[in-house]
Amino acid sequence: MAEVEETLKRIQSQKGVQGVIVVNSEGIPIKSMVDNSTTVQYAGLMHSFIMKAKSTVRDIDPQNDLTFLRICSKKNEIMIAPDKDYFLIVIQNLTE
Amino acid sequence: MEIVYVYVKKRSEFGRQCNFSDRPAEINVDIQPDPGLTANFIERDPIDAGIQCASDMSEHEVNTERFEMENAGVNHLEGGWPKDVNPLEMEQTIRFRKKVEKDENYVYTIIQLGSLMEHCIKQNNAINIYEEYFEEEETADVADEPPSAKTINVFRDPNVIKRTATHLSWHPDGSKKLAVAYSSLEFQRSSKDMSYDSYIWDLENPNKPELVLRPSSPLVSLEYNPKDSHILVGGCYNGQIAYWDTRKGGQPVELSTVEFSHRDPVYGTIWLQSKTGTDCFSASTDGQVLWWDIRKLTEPTETLVMDISRKGVLENALGAIALEFEPTMPTKFMVGTEQGVVITCNRKAKTPAEKIVGTFSGHHGPIYALARNPFFPKNFLTVGDWTARIWSEDSKESSIMWTKYHMAYLTDGCWSTIRPAVFFTTKMDGTLDVWDFLFKQNNPSLNVKVCDEPLFSLRLQDNGRFIGCGSKRGTVTLLEVSSGICTLQRNEKNLAMAMFERETKREKILEARHREMRLKERTKAEGKEEDVKVETEEETPEELLARVQKEFFEIIEAEIRRKERAAKLSKPQAKEITDENEDEDEDPYKEE
């Protein structure tokens, strides 16, 4: 339990990180460092996106699997680390 | 065949240090080519074959049928929570979350993902992989790229009965909208079910027009007011003028009265530069040019009859099809007529007779488009019959430059707003031509087949990059031209100016010669009427031929010398010399 907290705190303290969200496989946000409405929005949107990306990778090569997903946009970068049951979503500002 | 080399060595000599010594080369084996073996091989032409060690893939294209789409939004609320947990209740959600956090799998997973994530975050912080490295470097000169045009969007007439897109007008600021006038120009061909509507299209949405304009008679021409982008003026098929305000909807705000309007379709409407921004004028094939103030459309403020005999008689008037007005010269305007004559007029003249300043004739058929060169207003382009011609105001007898006669009728044309020597024309066979007169004069630089049906109208957007073409079946195609056509080349303005001046000078010289010759002929005819018989007996055919040849060559020499002098000033020369030689050919034979 404490390790989880420590890990998430360490991630949060990195330079440029705006928010950290942990979502389970059903799309329910378990832990979040941002406000509720943003959390819900991200959880809902990212979930379908991750599923699509995962299935795409598997379609191209069934023995392949998605390890990491990065969405770079003009203002920030959304990084998603997927797992079988949970996703870790981090929003980071691009360094100048 | 076994190749074996046997040598013998004493046992005591094994392991001794090697003593290398030089000796001449010895041939151990010499295998000569055996021509007899060629019978086992078949000679083949050397081929170049590329091989790639990759999996075979095939390319497939799929095109769906066009269907109408509509955008709709859905609002999602929080969900996904298991049945027994009510998302609105804080306690239940907190309890659920705590339960999950106690799960061992959760702890393990998060630690794993956390380390992976940290790696990427640190990566991001260490170096910006999306950094723009070569921002300051300019892109290389792409003048070598062949000109091309790409279709960006196609706007189709939503009605079942298709009408011709007769006129296009871009929105004055930003050009995000296009107003298109639809009507059927074929005589008595419009059926009862044909809709009268014209549309304003938003470039982003080709499925549905942004605004539907509903006049009482189909619109032949339509123009946005350059000062006020909400106002449009349209000329109707029955001769009336109407104006719309897009804020007020699709019905015209006001219509001109039938008694004082034109009697034929209004082919041209242009806004004038005035302080109030409400003045416009219109032209129609009934031979009249009318000036209107849109605040009071009950009667025109001024009329002018296109009668070149300057008597103002309507029966003799020429039908006007194309109108031209340049805001930098507010008192002058030009009218292109059905009979192939361009009339220049001065609005500020005192009497109606003086209003018509001059005429230019040269086309065999109606002049469908008339445009002044935005960089050199003295030169203007006319498009009609099977050619496009460039004129200079100083040379009234004929055009200074012209394109060859095409197979299809030319329907519309306009100058490029960026390059002074480039213009666009559309033809009845559905092609769009881009002409670069500095580069090539006998053929268009680019010929694009836009659609299968004839193209009727053309309009270039102000930035010179996008062109809208309207076709007979009401399809408006939006094309983007390659950057070579819409970027100003080095020194182009000077070259174009030199070219126009040179051609104008040439025409003037030809005109002067023609006048001289006509004068000579007249004096000859008057003086030598009695001696005609004697003259023909004196000069034998051979002498006549020799005299003509000598004169011909003298004229050519003179021209070549003049050309060489002029050649030092400007570049593309070869065609001019051949053109002028062709012209000179006719002269000596006329003298006879």
Side-chain angles (χ1 to χ4, degrees):
Chain A
M1 229 337 254
E3 290 119 15
V4 172
E5 289 297 327
E6 202 197 300
T7 312
L8 293 177
K9 266 211 190 40
R10 213 178 42 232
I11 293 178
Q12 180 81 17
S13 63
Q14 294 280 357
K15 188 164 85 141
V17 172
Q18 279 181 327
V20 180
I21 306 171
V22 179
V23 186
N24 82 345
S25 52
E26 284 158 22
I28 303 173
I30 305 294
K31 196 136 185 76
S32 165
M33 310 279 201
V34 291
D35 55 272
N36 195 34
S37 51
T38 317
T39 308
V40 170
Q41 199 180 26
Y42 269 95
L45 292 168
M46 291 303 136
H47 191 254
S48 48
F49 194 76
I50 297 165
M51 287 301 133
K52 189 72 186 173
K54 203 176 213 163
S55 65
T56 307
V57 172
R58 299 291 283 261
D59 272 347
I60 293 173
D61 183 1
Q63 286 161 344
N64 209 351
D65 197 7
L66 182 69
T67 45
F68 201 78
L69 194 55
R70 263 189 193 183
I71 305 171
C72 314
S73 68
K74 265 202 308 214
K75 297 191 182 161
N76 48 23
E77 184 167 341
I78 305 168
M79 293 180 277
I80 306 164
D83 185 75
K84 201 158 56 71
D85 304 316
Y86 302 96
F87 308 128
L88 177 62
I89 303 174
V90 172
I91 306 149
Q92 190 188 19
N93 250 337
L94 298 170
T95 51
E96 286 303 311
Chain B
M1 149 173 77
E2 248 193 85
I3 305 173
V4 170
Y5 182 70
V6 181
Y7 71 100
V8 176
K9 197 168 181 175
K10 273 196 198 161
R11 184 72 181 76
S12 56
E13 284 180 12
F14 273 107
R16 263 222 219 148
Q17 107 188 87
C18 295
N19 277 343
F20 288 110
S21 59
D22 254 327
R23 69 174 167 122
E26 268 178 30
I27 299 178
N28 284 339
V29 179
D30 186 13
I31 307 174
Q32 292 289 340
D34 184 3
L37 289 175
T38 55
N40 296 343
F41 295 90
I42 303 172
E43 199 163 308
R44 276 182 76 177
D45 283 329
I47 48 173
D48 238 321
I51 310 176
Q52 188 173 251
C53 188
S55 49
D56 271 333
M57 302 222 248
S58 66
E59 193 184 318
H60 286 284
E61 283 169 16
V62 177
N63 206 6
T64 56
E65 262 181 35
R66 192 195 172 87
F67 68 92
E68 300 283 332
M69 288 194 288
E70 225 186 85
N71 281 338
V74 182
N75 196 13
H76 269 299
L77 298 170
E78 205 172 320
W81 293 94
K83 256 208 195 147
D84 50 355
V85 178
N86 183 353
L88 300 170
E89 289 220 16
M90 278 277 287
E91 288 178 22
Q92 292 188 8
T93 54
I94 292 177
R95 213 185 318 147
F96 180 79
R97 285 197 172 112
K98 283 229 167 44
K99 194 172 66 176
V100 174
E101 284 173 10
K102 295 231 170 55
D103 188 13
E104 208 185 275
N105 190 22
Y106 173 79
V107 176
Y108 176 70
T109 313
I110 294 298
I111 294 178
Q112 290 293 319
L113 296 179
S115 56
L116 176 59
M117 183 63 76
E118 264 198 273
H119 174 77
C120 289
I121 293 178
K122 285 183 184 155
Q123 242 181 13
N124 265 353
N125 284 336
I127 183 167
N128 180 5
I129 63 174
Y130 302 108
E131 185 181 321
E132 193 73 46
Y133 289 108
F134 300 107
E135 250 176 54
E136 296 87 28
E137 242 179 58
E138 278 173 16
T139 49
D141 203 15
V142 282
D144 303 289
E145 182 190 284
S148 60
K150 200 164 57 161
T151 312
I152 304 276
N153 227 334
V154 177
F155 303 92
R156 283 176 227 278
D157 188 359
N159 304 71
V160 174
I161 300 180
K162 308 282 181 201
R163 306 148 301 157
T164 315
T166 47
H167 201 93
L168 293 134
S169 171
W170 289 93
H171 189 108
D173 346 289
S175 307
K176 282 285 181 323
K177 298 198 234 192
L178 187 57
V180 187
Y182 293 91
S183 60
S184 176
L185 284 179
E186 288 171 49
F187 188 58
Q188 294 186 341
R189 196 66 80 84
S190 48
S191 62
K192 282 196 262 294
D193 307 329
M194 190 180 90
S195 126
Y196 292 162
D197 301 336
S198 291
Y199 304 111
I200 296 183
W201 295 90
D202 184 347
L203 291 188
E204 315 280 312
N205 183 6
N207 296 322
K208 216 161 82 89
E210 197 193 324
L211 182 59
V212 180
L213 302 172
R214 294 175 212 282
S216 53
S217 141
L219 284 181
V220 181
S221 76
L222 185 58
E223 277 288 332
Y224 264 105
N225 186 341
K227 294 252 173 75
D228 181 357
S229 54
H230 296 284
I231 310 267
L232 295 114
V233 73
C236 298
Y237 193 71
N238 64 359
Q240 283 177 300
I241 306 278
Y243 93 93
W244 279 266
D245 188 330
T246 51
R247 295 167 290 207
K248 297 203 183 128
Q251 293 292 336
V253 178
E254 211 184 318
L255 259 180
S256 62
T257 44
V258 182
E259 298 86 38
F260 293 109
S261 308
H262 293 279
R263 303 265 179 277
D264 263 354
V266 180
Y267 282 98
T269 45
I270 298 192
W271 288 93
L272 290 167
Q273 292 276 35
S274 71
K275 277 181 264 167
T276 55
T278 53
D279 288 326
C280 63
F281 69 132
S282 64
S284 152
T285 38
D286 65 355
Q288 286 179 306
V289 175
L290 303 173
W291 278 263
W292 307 85
D293 183 334
I294 55 168
R295 293 169 295 191
K296 184 168 168 282
L297 276 181
T298 47
E299 76 174 353
T301 51
E302 221 179 306
T303 66
L304 176 60
V305 177
M306 290 282 109
D307 179 12
I308 44 179
S309 61
R310 295 190 172 88
K311 290 204 200 67
V313 182
L314 199 57
E315 282 79 45
N316 297 350
L318 308 174
I321 290 205
L323 258 189
E324 198 283 329
F325 174 73
E326 176 77 29
T328 51
M329 295 192 282
T331 56
K332 291 204 288 194
F333 66 95
M334 293 197 292
V335 178
T337 61
E338 262 187 318
Q339 284 74 8
V341 176
V342 175
I343 306 178
T344 47
C345 311
N346 185 339
R347 194 180 166 196
K348 285 282 178 268
K350 305 278 178 358
T351 65
E354 279 176 33
K355 284 215 169 143
I356 296 178
V357 172
T359 61
F360 297 86
S361 58
H363 274 285
H364 308 291
I367 295 179
Y368 283 111
L370 187 52
R372 274 189 208 266
N373 190 326
F375 295 88
F376 304 106
K378 272 203 155 175
N379 299 299
F380 57 95
L381 169 76
T382 58
V383 168
D385 60 59
W386 299 271
T387 61
R389 285 170 192 271
I390 299 182
W391 304 74
S392 160
E393 275 186 4
D394 307 322
S395 140
K396 298 233 181 249
E397 299 252 319
S398 76
S399 50
I400 58 173
M401 288 188 278
W402 54 91
T403 66
K404 62 176 184 193
Y405 279 87
H406 293 98
M407 300 302 285
Y409 220 76
L410 262 71
T411 48
D412 203 353
C414 67
W415 287 100
S416 159
T417 45
I418 299 183
R419 296 186 58 188
V422 172
F423 63 93
F424 303 88
T425 55
T426 55
K427 302 218 281 282
M428 285 288 264
D429 60 0
T431 56
L432 169 78
D433 289 331
V434 179
W435 295 82
D436 182 351
F437 250 42
L438 271 182
F439 183 63
K440 224 188 334 178
Q441 288 195 3
N442 57 343
N443 265 327
S445 318
L446 174 65
N447 181 315
V448 183
K449 184 120 205 284
V450 176
C451 51
D452 292 323
E453 58 252 15
L455 285 175
F456 266 96
S457 53
L458 170 74
R459 199 59 183 263
L460 189 66
Q461 204 197 37
D462 290 325
N463 65 6
R465 216 182 161 96
F466 293 100
I467 311 177
C469 317
S471 79
K472 188 159 173 210
R473 310 228 344 121
T475 316
V476 175
T477 316
L478 185 65
L479 294 149
E480 178 183 356
V481 284
S482 61
S483 46
I485 297 179
C486 56
T487 40
L488 195 58
Q489 308 284 343
R490 288 178 256 119
N491 215 13
E492 189 170 340
K493 263 206 190 161
N494 294 338
L495 292 173
M497 182 157 69
M499 176 176 76
F500 287 132
E501 278 177 16
R502 191 181 63 232
E503 295 303 321
T504 321
K505 216 168 40 162
R506 178 184 69 110
E507 276 303 318
K508 283 217 202 104
I509 291 178
L510 283 178
E511 268 178 57
R513 289 215 92 253
H514 277 150
R515 252 181 277 136
E516 260 180 51
M517 279 181 331
R518 260 180 269 137
L519 207 57
K520 248 198 246 172
E521 266 182 49
R522 242 180 285 142
T523 51
K524 237 200 241 176
E526 286 167 15
K528 293 189 179 175
E529 269 177 316
E530 297 124 25
D531 302 334
V532 159
K533 273 195 205 152
V534 183
E535 273 251 326
T536 46
E537 281 170 26
E538 279 182 333
E539 238 179 16
T540 61
E542 288 89 46
E543 284 177 45
L544 189 64
L545 199 61
R547 178 173 68 87
V548 165
Q549 262 190 337
K550 194 164 58 84
E551 280 173 15
F552 174 53
F553 281 119
E554 273 173 35
I555 295 169
I556 299 292
E557 299 287 314
E559 268 305 305
I560 290 179
R561 260 177 270 128
R562 193 182 67 78
K563 269 277 138 270
E564 278 167 15
R565 259 180 280 131
K568 289 183 193 135
L569 305 168
S570 36
K571 270 195 324 201
Q573 278 301 316
K575 281 193 192 61
E576 300 341 300
I577 297 179
T578 50
D579 277 355
E580 290 184 46
N581 283 353
E582 283 167 13
D583 286 308
E584 298 307 319
D585 274 343
E586 301 176 71
D587 301 343
Y589 296 103
K590 266 197 199 161
E591 266 189 33
E592 290 180 78

